[in-house]
Amino acid sequence: MAQTTSMEEFEALLQESFEMDTPEEGSVVKGKIIAIEAGQAIIDVGYKMEGRVELKEFANPGEAAEVTVGDEVEVYLRAAENARGEAVISREMARREEAWDRLEKAYADDQRVEGAIFGRVKGGFTVDLGGAVAFLPGSQVDVRPVRDAGPLMGLKQPFQILKMDRRRGNIVVSRRAILEESRAEQRAEVIGNLTEGQAVEGVVKNITEYGAFVDLGGVDGLLHVTDMAWRRVNHPSEILAIGETVKVQVIKINKETHRISLGMKQLQDDPWDLVGAKYPLTSVHKGRVTNITDYGAFVELEPGVEGLVHVSEMSWTKKNVHPGKIVSTSQEVDVMVLEIDGAKRRVSLGLKQTMRNPWEVFSETHPEGTEVEGEVKNITEFGLFIGLEGDIDGMVHLSDLSWDERGEEAIQNYRKGDMVSAVVSEVDVEKERISLSIKALGGDKFADAVGGVKRGSIVTVNVTAIEDGGVEVEYEGMKSFIRRSDLSRDRADQRPERFSVGDKIDVRVTNIDSKTRRLGLSIKAREIAEEKEAVEQYGSSDSGASLGDILGAALKSE
């Protein structure tokens, strides 16, 4: 009876084992570690199946495996039996399947996941997300480019899943998104505690051409180069260094963009408040040239106060030259204050006003009539320009070149570079003009010759040439010409050939032309004047004397 019962129980148990479902290959099953040997864990997965798993599959990247006999673990059943009759199982694949389930849920709920960077690949890094391997692009590591990712390796930290595809086994994560979110929260908190006009301390994080970024404790503010100092700052590195702690004032806060504008000079006294009192008009001060442009030079009177010397106020004589040829950067110069515009924070300065006007000096030292010598600097269609003392020029007009030649002819005798002498004829300080005369060097021969001669005077001339139209004569070295019609009162005696070269003739002056430098002379006019005078002296209207008698008496009297 007992034997029958035991047979029935055996059959029941056998039937039960046949009816039990064996695990499906490709699924995750639970097992128990029953032994550890030769770097492997032997796991009983039930159903009278055992398998082996390398211990390294239980370890996280960069860590040692922590397993002991008796631990229950989940493994992936790849095959129910291999050639040795053992189940083919994998802890790594089980972890991956588990991880994918967990990550898909986190991705759907837009939640952060924890992982560790464990390797570097082209374009970025590999991240272990607790069994699943994800790709971290280089641009998603930090908010700023990372040069050395060493300190981040193996460090457990949160990531944001950007994209995942289970079928292809692709996961893309971002560390930057976490940092930006955290930073945004921190920025909002810091900005909420700041007010415009508040003075705060910060650390210089970065320096650019246009300014510096200052960390105010989780939020950056821009300190523009123009707000660093009242004086001109060419580059922020002149007064700031990365890592330096500075005191700044909050100038403006944009609540929408979270941008903060900072200033340093606002915490200092504005030097422009005292400019009017310290630099009165026409006062002369010493300054330093800080910048040179095409239109002038900027001169620093004191830190924060600069004035412009316009190119027109730089030199009395150098009119069309670049300011860089008159002054140089960092040069110390004396300047005069010409104008102050406090509202526009502008000071107009003059360089030439600190030196005497060279035309004034020349006028004092070279009055009209003074003889000067200089080099022919330029020849134009209207005259010569002569270089004079004080780096100024004087002009000799065509009409002042020669007494005897036309200006157009006389100018042909001069070349650029010639040294010439001339007489100062006029100095116009206001118009900055000096008129010179070369022909006046020997004096005015015509004026000297006719100085005591008047119209109607009788003078004696020498015949120098006989021509068909008259005779050429000379008076005190000045040439003149008596026309045929003026040679005699009587037409019969109006013959040039009756005179000879060298004859001396008394003539009457009929005209003095200073422009043409000619005397109008006439024998005929002299004879008529003499006849008139004789009639007045020796004859009368009722005497009955003839003209011949009167002239005879006059001649006899003489």
Side-chain angles (χ1 to χ4, degrees), residues 288-303:
R288 183 177 61 87
V289 179
T290 58
N291 192 26
I292 296 175
T293 68
D294 290 339
Y295 52 85
F298 288 92
V299 176
E300 183 183 64
L301 299 175
E302 66 175 81

Side-chain angles (χ1 to χ4, degrees), residues 379-384 395-402 405-412 436 439:
I379 300 176
T380 69
E381 59 183 10
F382 48 83
L384 305 177
M395 192 191 81
V396 182
H397 194 268
L398 289 178
S399 60
D400 288 309
L401 289 172
S402 173
E405 293 181 285
R406 291 173 58 249
E408 292 79 1
E409 296 171 357
I411 201 169
Q412 301 300 321
L436 304 174
K439 72 181 184 181

Side-chain angles (χ1 to χ4, degrees), residues 96-97 100 104 132-135 163-172:
R96 187 180 300 138
E97 290 298 313
W100 271 95
E104 282 183 335
V133 177
F135 174 63
K163 185 173 66 172
M164 64 185 304
D165 186 338
R166 187 162 189 168
R167 184 173 60 84
R168 297 183 178 180
N170 292 337
I171 305 176
V172 180

Side-chain angles (χ1 to χ4, degrees), residues 2 6 44 61 84 99 116 125 131 137 141 159-160 164 176 236-237 297 301 362 409 412 432 449 496 514 548 552:
S6 63
D44 179 6
R84 293 184 296 180
F125 304 87
V141 177
F159 293 89
Q160 186 77 37
M164 64 185 304
R176 176 177 176 172
S237 60
L301 299 175
F362 188 88
E409 296 171 357
Q412 301 300 321
E432 299 181 350
S514 299

Side-chain angles (χ1 to χ4, degrees), residues 464-484:
T464 56
I466 309 298
E467 299 179 9
D468 291 341
V471 294
E472 183 185 72
V473 297
E474 182 183 272
Y475 174 72
E476 297 292 337
M478 305 302 298
K479 298 284 186 181
S480 191
F481 189 78
I482 303 175
R483 294 175 298 175
R484 177 188 283 268

Side-chain angles (χ1 to χ4, degrees), residues 445-461 474-478 480 507-514 518-522:
K445 294 179 181 179
F446 180 79
D448 293 342
V450 300
V453 178
K454 297 179 181 178
R455 261 182 98 179
S457 298
I458 305 297
V459 296
T460 302
V461 298
E474 182 183 272
Y475 174 72
E476 297 292 337
M478 305 302 298
S480 191
V507 295
R508 182 182 176 90
V509 178
T510 58
N511 187 34
I512 302 173
D513 193 335
S514 299
R518 291 279 181 177
L519 287 175
L521 304 175
S522 174

